[in-house]
Amino acid sequence: MLRVDVNGQLNALQRLKLLRMPPAKRRRLLNLLGNQVRKSSRARIRQQKNINGQPWAPRKDGRRKMLRGLGKDLRVYASDKSVSVTYANRLTGSIAKAQQEGITETFTAEQAAKKYGEPDYNAPATTKQARALKEQGFTVKRKTGKGRKKATQKWIKQNLTLGQAGAILRDMRDRESKKSWVIKLPPRAFLGASASDVKQYVQTIFNETLNARA
């Protein structure tokens, strides 16, 4: 489960001031800080940026925003001693952790079949296959006259099955069917707070709480 301890990001003087506060006031301050981290983390998902403000590594297809479902499940757990911003659901937390830190794992054909089911090799060739075949220079016989011509994506999808397109692609690339794949997920750090973030939070929340009544 992914967890960020906001209390641990305060400096020694700030932690000392925390200890001198009444428990109720201390918990209120830490809860406010946790909520601010939660708010900024969700904003990063909307902006598709890392904690340092840099854009995330894009999807391979370059489409659709990423991690959109991870922002709404963030929870703040505050006591009079500490505060954490994390996920209550372990599965969501493990997904968020993989996205936050980036992972490299081996995905086998057997795992793919269990997760997605066996592909329908008799289904029409996909757009991705048609695009790849066209890039490889796949040709077909001309209806009239002699010779061959490059196949269009439309022709490929209308005349080849998923299985046929895959076999042709492997042959053109001189590759055997893969038994496993190495998947590299780049880190997309969205949860947490940078040093400048913490400084800003302290200025806007910490000092106000210190001056407020317990």
Side-chain angles (χ1 to χ4, degrees), residues 104-152:
T104 299
E105 64 176 348
T106 301
F107 196 64
T108 66
E110 184 179 357
Q111 288 173 321
K114 287 182 178 179
K115 185 173 183 179
Y116 301 108
E118 288 288 346
D120 182 1
Y121 292 107
N122 292 317
T126 66
T127 300
K128 186 175 181 179
Q129 287 178 316
R131 188 183 300 117
L133 282 169
K134 188 175 179 182
E135 290 174 354
Q136 290 293 320
F138 177 63
T139 61
V140 294
K141 288 183 179 180
R142 294 182 182 276
K143 288 185 177 179
T144 58
K146 296 181 179 180
R148 301 177 69 85
K149 64 177 181 178
K150 287 188 176 181
T152 63

Side-chain angles (χ1 to χ4, degrees), residues 4 34-49 51 56 67 70-71 74 85 87 100 189-193 197 201:
V4 174
N35 277 309
Q36 185 59 50
V37 170
R38 177 178 178 268
K39 180 180 178 181
S40 60
S41 298
R42 294 179 70 179
R44 291 189 197 101
I45 293 177
R46 292 193 300 271
Q47 298 163 2
Q48 304 284 279
K49 292 182 178 180
I51 293 175
W56 287 342
L67 317 189
L70 293 179
L74 275 173
V85 182
Y87 290 91
Q100 177 89 358
F190 66 95
L191 179 56
D197 286 338
Y201 301 159

Side-chain angles (χ1 to χ4, degrees), residues 75-90:
R75 298 290 183 267
V76 177
Y77 297 95
S79 68
D80 61 345
K81 296 180 179 179
S82 66
V83 57
S84 295
V85 182
T86 185
Y87 290 91
N89 184 281
R90 287 187 176 276

Side-chain angles (χ1 to χ4, degrees), residues 12 14 18 20 22 49-50 59 64 67 73 83 90 93 112 114-115 117 125-126 143 148 169 173 177 185 189 214:
Q14 292 161 353
L18 269 177
R20 292 174 177 173
K49 292 182 178 180
N50 289 322
R59 292 182 187 273
R64 295 185 301 153
L67 317 189
D73 293 326
V83 57
R90 287 187 176 276
K114 287 182 178 179
K115 185 173 183 179
T126 66
K143 288 185 177 179
R148 301 177 69 85
L169 266 173
R173 293 169 172 171
S177 298
L185 184 66

